[in-house]
Amino acid sequence: MSSALITGCSSGFGRVTAMRLVRDGWTVIATVRRDEDAEALRAEATGPGTLHALRADVTSEGDVARLGREAATLAPVLHGLVNNAGTAYPGPLELLPVEDLRAQLDVNVVGQLAVTQAVLPLLRAAGGTIINVSSIGGRRATPMLGAYNASKFALEAMSDALRVELAPFGVKVTVIEPGGSSTAIWRTSVARADALPDHPHRGDYARLEGAVRRLAAWAESDGFPPEAFADLVVRILAADRPKTRYPLGPGVGRAIAISHWLPDRVRDWLVRRRLGW
């Protein structure tokens, strides 16, 4: 039976993908941050596969070490790792508390590498596949999301290095770059934006903040369904030689290509025009 570890399975991409792989007969180790989420996952899982829901915070050294030990017992040969756990700390960089930037990088970058290191022996044994979940925001930056973009740019770079480093050992590394989708991450982001501390220049960014909020609401309501993410994960895990990157969502690949082709000043002008900024 094939096996996979998926982080961040309380909701969204991780939860849907865990359920899909269990239905397909996989042994799935799914991490969540709360015991009640683990219980809900176990109750929801149906199919010929097996679900092991474990509580683990990817930013906790102790939790990650324990996860590595438990994974070695549950799946000594690991065919897939989906580094899906992630979050967003929005806000203009002038106003963003530095501790929020540290937390952003800790979850979206440092935690991803910590989990990868913890289970790499199991992936080596299977010639497995690491799927790092980046974003369209890992290829182009957006106002109000500078910290999030920085974390995803870093994850893309780390994936490039890992892909070359692990190739001789038969471990494959790829990146998924989703666009907008109906997941909880943007609702969490809006709540964090509301909680930003008072600052003398907070009002200067009101118009920009409103425009970005509208874009986030559109992404949540009109983006692709999380099931499309699960379908892509299944295809990647079945591939002998997966692509290095998989843009996901309507127009995402084209938007990334255009963004990198345009001169920086032209792209800046287009972004400001779209946001009324």
Side-chain angles (χ1 to χ4, degrees), residues 195-219:
L196 283 173
D198 290 336
H199 189 283
H201 295 297
R202 178 71 186 267
D204 295 348
Y205 293 97
R207 184 156 49 95
L208 176 61
E209 184 176 341
V212 173
R213 284 176 184 268
R214 289 191 293 273
L215 284 177
W218 170 84

Side-chain angles (χ1 to χ4, degrees), residues 128-143:
T129 301
I130 298 171
I131 301 174
N132 288 330
V133 182
S134 180
S135 165
I136 186 175
R139 302 291 295 280
R140 64 177 194 179
T142 304

Side-chain angles (χ1 to χ4, degrees), residues 138-139 155-157 159-160 163 173-177 242-247:
R139 302 291 295 280
L155 183 61
E156 296 263 355
S159 300
D160 286 344
R163 188 176 64 250
V173 180
T174 188
V175 175
I176 297 179
E177 299 168 332
K243 298 176 183 179
T244 59
R245 285 175 170 79
Y246 289 85

Side-chain angles (χ1 to χ4, degrees), residues 137-154:
R139 302 291 295 280
R140 64 177 194 179
T142 304
M144 293 286 295
L145 292 174
Y148 175 79
N149 294 141
S151 72
K152 293 302 186 179
F153 270 63

Side-chain angles (χ1 to χ4, degrees), residues 9-10 15 30-44 51-55:
C9 292
S10 297
R15 188 184 192 94
T31 75
V32 296
R33 295 187 63 183
R34 301 184 303 174
D35 290 331
E36 53 265 40
D37 291 333
E39 294 171 4
L41 272 178
R42 296 186 192 107
E44 183 180 342
L51 176 77
H52 302 284
L54 305 179
R55 184 176 57 80

Side-chain angles (χ1 to χ4, degrees), residues 18-26 41-51:
M19 297 299 106
R20 168 65 184 275
L21 289 180
V22 169
R23 290 197 302 272
D24 287 353
W26 285 61
L41 272 178
R42 296 186 192 107
E44 183 180 342
T46 58
T50 303
L51 176 77

